[in-house]
C-alpha cells in the first residue's frame, strides 16, 4: 500500500535520496527524502489551488472534511498496523487517536456550516449624518492563504497529517502543506492517501493538500520561508519551535507562527484536599504521569504542596504507585535518550532528592519521582524545565505564601491544576488570578491529560507553552488562526463573498 513518496499536487513524487524509518517493531521501510524543491512544488500547488478552494461553498468544504474522515476510517486497520510498528504505541491507543482525528474533521465540518465563526458585522450607512455621512461597512473573516503544518512526534494522527491544524485550516478555506514527521512516515502516507481519495471524490483542487516527507532541518526552514506560506502550525520542542518562530519573524513579509512548545503543567495540592484525598490524588497523578510513557504535552510533571505529614504521605503513595508501573516503549530512540538525559540532569542537581528511579535502556522508559523545596525551585530556573516522559517532581513549599510566590514565578503553561476542598477556597481564590495569567486551561480536581475537542477548549498558553497566547490548537476556536477580518465599504452585494449571504 505504501509508495514511499511525497504527495504533491495530487501526484506521488519521489526523489534521488531516501531515508529509512526506525520502527519500534517490524521492518524498516524506505521513504523519499524531502528537499527544498519538493517544498517549492507543494507551495506552488497550494497557491494555485487557493482561489478555487477558498471560493468553495461551506457545504462543499464540510462534505470534503467528512469524506476525509470516511476515507481514514476505511483505512483504519492499515493505519493501526503500521502505526503500532512505527511508534510502539498499543493498538487501542491508536484506534482511539484515529477516532479523535476523524471526530475533529467532522466537528469542523459541522462548525463551518454555522455562522458564528465568520464574525459577520454590519454598520449600515447613515447618509444624513452630520457633520459627515457614514459609509456602509460590512466585515467578516476570510481565509489567509496556504498554511504550513508540522507533524508532531507524539500524536501520529491527531496532531499530524490530518490532525487538528490541518482540519481547521482546510475548514477555513486554506490549502495545507504538511511536513511529515520522520518518526511515522508510513502512518502519514496512508493518511495522505485518504486525503487524496477525498479530494478526488469531492472535486477539490488537488493542490489543497500536499505532504512532504522527511528531510533535514533545511526542509522545514524552506517551508516557513516560502513566500506563498501565510501561517505555520507547529507542535514540538522549544528549541526547534523557537528557531522556526524566529525565521517566520525574520521573513521579508513576517507571518504568524502558532507553535506549541512545552509545559510542565503544575498541580497545586491545597491543604484540605491533600489531607482528605492525598492517597487518591497520588494514585491519579501516577496514572496521568505515566499515561503513554508520559509523552503528552499536558503531562502533569510537577506537584506543589505544603510540607508536613500529609506531604510525606502523598510522596510515599506516589512512589508506591509509580514503582508498580512497567517499562513502556517510547516513540523514538531520540525521545527515549532525551528522557534519560533530562532525568539524569535533574536527578544530579544538588537541590533534588531522588525518591524513585529505575534504569532501562533502548526505547524503554520507566518512571521517576524526584523532590525539591520551594526555595530551591525559586532560586534555580533549571528545575522548571520540561523533561518529556514519565517523570514527576514534588515541590514542598513552606506555607501558602511560598505557594503563591511559586505560582507567580511560573513561566507560561498549557495547564495548571488545583486540587481543593471547600476549606481551600480562600487560598484558591488567591491562586486563580495568578494562574489565569500563566496557563490556557485551569482545572479543578482532575488531571490535564486528555484534551476534549470541543468549542470551549483552549490548548495553548503564554510563552513558552505556545508562541501565541491568544490562540488554541484544539477546539473549534483554532480555526481563527487561519482567518483574518476584511471590511467591505460601500461594496455592491454582488461583489461580496458568498459567506456574507
Amino acid at each position: 500500500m505504501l509508495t514511499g513518496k511525497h504527495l504533491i499536487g495530487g501526484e506521488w513524487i519521489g526523489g534521488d535520496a531516501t531515508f529509512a524509518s526506525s520502527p519500534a517493531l517490524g521492518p524498516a521501510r524506505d521513504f523519499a527524502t524531502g528537499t527544498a524543491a519538493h517544498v517549492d512544488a507543494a507551495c506552488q500547488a497550494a497557491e494555485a489551488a487557493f482561489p478555487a478552494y477558498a471560493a468553495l461553498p461551506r457545504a462543499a468544504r464540510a462534505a470534503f472534511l467528512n469524506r476525509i474522515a470516511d476515507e481514514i476510517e476505511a483505512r483504519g486497520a492499515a493505519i493501526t498496523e503500521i502505526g503500532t510498528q512505527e511508534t510502539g504505541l498499543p493498538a487501542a491507543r491508536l484506534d482511539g487517536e484515529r477516532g479523535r482525528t476523524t471526530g475533529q474533521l467532522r466537528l469542523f465540518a459541522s462548525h463551518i456550516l454555522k455562522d458564528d465563526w465568520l464574525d459577520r458585522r454590519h454598520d449600515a450607512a447613515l447618509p444624513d449624518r452630520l457633520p459627515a455621512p457614514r459609509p456602509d461597512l460590512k466585515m467578516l473573516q476570510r481565509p489567509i492563504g496556504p498554511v504550513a503544518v508540522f507533524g508532531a512526534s507524539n500524536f501520529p494522527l491527531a496532531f499530524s497529517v490530518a490532525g487538528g491544524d490541518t482540519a481547521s485550516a482546510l475548514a477555513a478555506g486554506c490549502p495545507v502543506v504538511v511536513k511529515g514527521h520522520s518518526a511515522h512516515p508510513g502512518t502519514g502516507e496512508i493518511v495522505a492517501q485518504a486525503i487524496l481519495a477525498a479530494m478526488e471524490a469531492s472535486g477539490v483542487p488537488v493542490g489543497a493538500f500536499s505532504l512532504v516527507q522527511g528531510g533535514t532541518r533545511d526542509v522545514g526552514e524552506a517551508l516557513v520561508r516560502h513566500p506563498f506560506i501565510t501561517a505555520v502550525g507547529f507542535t514540538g520542542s522549544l528549541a526547534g519551535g523557537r528557531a522556526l518562530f524566529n525565521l517566520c519573524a525574520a521573513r521579508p513579509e513576517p507571518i504568524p507562527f502558532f507553535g506549541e512548545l512545552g509545559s510542565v503543567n503544575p498541580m497545586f495540592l491545597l491543604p484540605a484536599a491533600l489531607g482528605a484525598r492525598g492517597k487518591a490524588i497520588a494514585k491519579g497523578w501516577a496514572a496521568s504521569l505515566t499515561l503513554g510513557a508520559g509523552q503528552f504535552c499536558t503531562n502533569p510533571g510537577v506537584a506543589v504542596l505544603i510540607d508536613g505529614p500529609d506531604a510525606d504521605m502523598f510522596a510515599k503513595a506516589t512512589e508506591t504507585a509509580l514503582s508498580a508501573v512497567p517499562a513502556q516503549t517510547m516513540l523514538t530512540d531520540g525521545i527515549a535518550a532525551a528522557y534519560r538525559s533530562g532525568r539524569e540532569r535533574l536527578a544530579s542537581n544538588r537541590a533534588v532528592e531522588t525518591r524513585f528511579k529505575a534504569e532501562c535502556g533502548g526505547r524503554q522508559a520507566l518512571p521517576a519521582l524526584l523532590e525539591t523545596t520551594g526555595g530551591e525551585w525559586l532560586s534555580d530556573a533549571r528545575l522548571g524545565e520540561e523533561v518529556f516522559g514519565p517523570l514527576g517532581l514534588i515541590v514542598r513549599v513552606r506555607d501558602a505564601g511560598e505557594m503563591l510566590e511559586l505560582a507567580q514565578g511560573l513561566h507560561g503553561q498549557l495547564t495548571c491544576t488545583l486540587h481543593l476542598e471547600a476549606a481551600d477556597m480562600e487560598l484558591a481564590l488567591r491562586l486563580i488570578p495568578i494562574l489565569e495569567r500563566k496557563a490556557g486551561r485551569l482545572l479543578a480536581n482532575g488531571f490535564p491529560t486528555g484534551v476534549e475537542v470541543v468549542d470551549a477548549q483552549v490548548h495553548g498558553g503564554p510563552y513558552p507553552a505556545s508562541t501565541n497566547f491568544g490562540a488554541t490548537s484544539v477546539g473549534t476556536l483554532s480555526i481563527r488562526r487561519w482567518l483574518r477580518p476584511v471590511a467591505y465599504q460601500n461594496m455592491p452585494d454582488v461583489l461580496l463573498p458568498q459567506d456574507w449571504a
Side-chain angles (χ1 to χ4, degrees):
M1 295 180 63
L2 294 176
T3 69
K5 298 179 179 180
H6 316 286
L7 176 62
I8 299 175
E11 302 291 335
W12 294 103
I13 297 174
D16 296 331
T18 61
F19 70 96
S21 64
S22 180
L25 52 98
R29 297 174 174 87
D30 290 332
F31 294 86
T33 302
T35 66
H38 290 123
V39 166
D40 181 61
C43 294
Q44 295 277 356
E47 176 66 15
F50 175 59
Y53 184 67
L56 284 176
R58 284 182 278 160
R61 290 207 304 274
F64 172 47
L65 294 170
N66 282 322
R67 186 59 184 260
I68 296 174
D70 292 342
E71 296 289 349
I72 290 173
E73 288 169 349
R75 293 162 175 78
I79 290 170
T80 297
E81 179 181 8
I82 196 167
T84 55
Q85 292 175 1
E86 290 184 325
T87 67
L89 293 171
R93 153 70 193 273
L94 283 168
D95 288 344
E97 191 180 329
R98 188 178 71 250
R100 171 174 169 172
T101 304
T102 57
Q104 288 177 149
L105 289 159
R106 298 191 191 285
L107 175 65
F108 279 106
S110 174
H111 183 63
I112 61 175
L113 294 178
K114 304 171 186 176
D115 291 335
D116 54 346
W117 65 281
L118 292 167
D119 195 20
R120 284 190 295 233
R121 304 182 185 202
H122 183 202
D123 289 293
L126 297 175
D128 298 326
R129 190 185 67 174
L130 295 174
R134 186 177 77 184
D136 183 86
L137 282 165
K138 299 181 176 74
M139 187 277 283
L140 78 164
Q141 302 287 337
R142 299 294 292 151
I144 58 174
V147 167
V149 170
F150 285 74
S153 63
N154 59 334
F155 277 88
L157 297 173
F159 276 87
S160 193
V161 173
D165 287 347
T166 298
S168 56
L170 291 175
C174 298
V176 174
V177 178
V178 172
K179 168 66 170 64
H181 200 286
S182 58
H184 38 76
T187 308
E189 184 185 324
I190 295 178
V191 174
Q193 291 176 6
I195 298 175
L196 176 60
M199 287 193 293
E200 293 173 340
S202 304
V204 166
V206 290
F209 174 86
S210 291
L211 168 67
V212 177
Q213 296 274 29
T216 63
R217 179 171 292 183
D218 292 345
V219 176
E221 292 176 354
L223 182 56
V224 302
R225 282 179 165 147
H226 199 283
F228 288 154
I229 293 298
T230 56
V232 178
F234 174 88
T235 299
S237 69
L238 175 58
R242 182 55 194 255
L244 294 176
F245 172 84
N246 291 342
L247 287 176
C248 288
R251 287 174 33 140
E253 181 185 351
I255 59 173
F257 179 85
F258 298 100
E260 181 204 305
L261 307 183
S263 182
V264 296
N265 304 294
M267 305 188 312
F268 293 82
L269 282 66
L270 305 194
L274 182 63
R277 299 183 282 111
K279 289 183 178 179
I281 297 171
K283 185 176 180 180
W285 185 38
S288 182
L289 194 66
T290 59
L291 182 68
Q295 298 170 115
F296 290 91
C297 46
T298 53
N299 189 35
V302 175
V304 182
L305 65 172
I306 296 173
D307 197 11
D310 290 336
D312 296 338
M313 176 270 298
F314 173 82
K316 181 61 177 176
T318 304
E319 184 179 338
T320 299
L322 289 177
S323 64
V325 176
Q328 296 173 279
T329 301
M330 300 198 84
L331 290 159
T332 69
D333 294 321
I335 289 174
Y339 167 64
R340 287 192 293 273
S341 175
R343 184 187 64 180
E344 294 310 311
R345 170 187 55 78
L346 200 56
S348 64
N349 190 306
R350 62 166 184 79
V352 173
E353 175 190 349
T354 298
R355 293 195 63 101
F356 174 77
K357 185 179 70 169
E359 297 303 323
C360 57
R363 272 170 83 159
Q364 299 298 297
L366 283 164
L369 182 64
L370 309 177
E371 187 174 292
T372 191
T373 67
E376 294 290 355
W377 171 283
L378 289 167
S379 65
D380 188 349
R382 295 173 299 174
L383 297 178
E385 294 176 358
E386 181 185 23
V387 177
F388 192 65
L391 181 145
L393 177 66
I394 295 173
V395 182
R396 296 182 184 234
V397 296
R398 293 189 310 270
D399 51 28
E402 191 170 69
M403 181 177 283
L404 291 163
E405 185 181 0
L406 188 150
Q408 189 68 59
L410 285 172
H411 296 298
Q413 304 291 330
L414 293 172
T415 73
C416 288
T417 300
L418 296 177
H419 290 278
L420 72 165
E421 295 286 319
D424 294 314
M425 289 303 170
E426 181 179 351
L427 177 54
L429 285 169
R430 298 172 69 190
L431 278 165
I432 286 291
I434 299 172
L435 299 182
E436 282 180 338
R437 300 180 65 185
K438 303 296 181 178
R441 177 162 59 111
L442 305 184
L443 295 83
N445 296 329
F447 299 94
T449 43
V451 182
E452 291 291 335
V453 185
V454 291
D455 292 331
Q457 187 58 272
V458 174
H459 191 62
Y463 186 85
S466 60
T467 56
N468 190 311
F469 61 81
T472 174
S473 61
V474 178
T476 55
L477 188 62
S478 64
I479 197 174
R480 295 296 181 93
R481 296 173 296 170
W482 324 120
L483 300 165
R484 66 181 182 88
V486 177
Y488 301 86
Q489 183 167 324
N490 293 332
M491 191 66 62
D493 287 349
V494 69
L495 297 179
L496 291 170
Q498 61 178 320
D499 282 340
W500 181 259

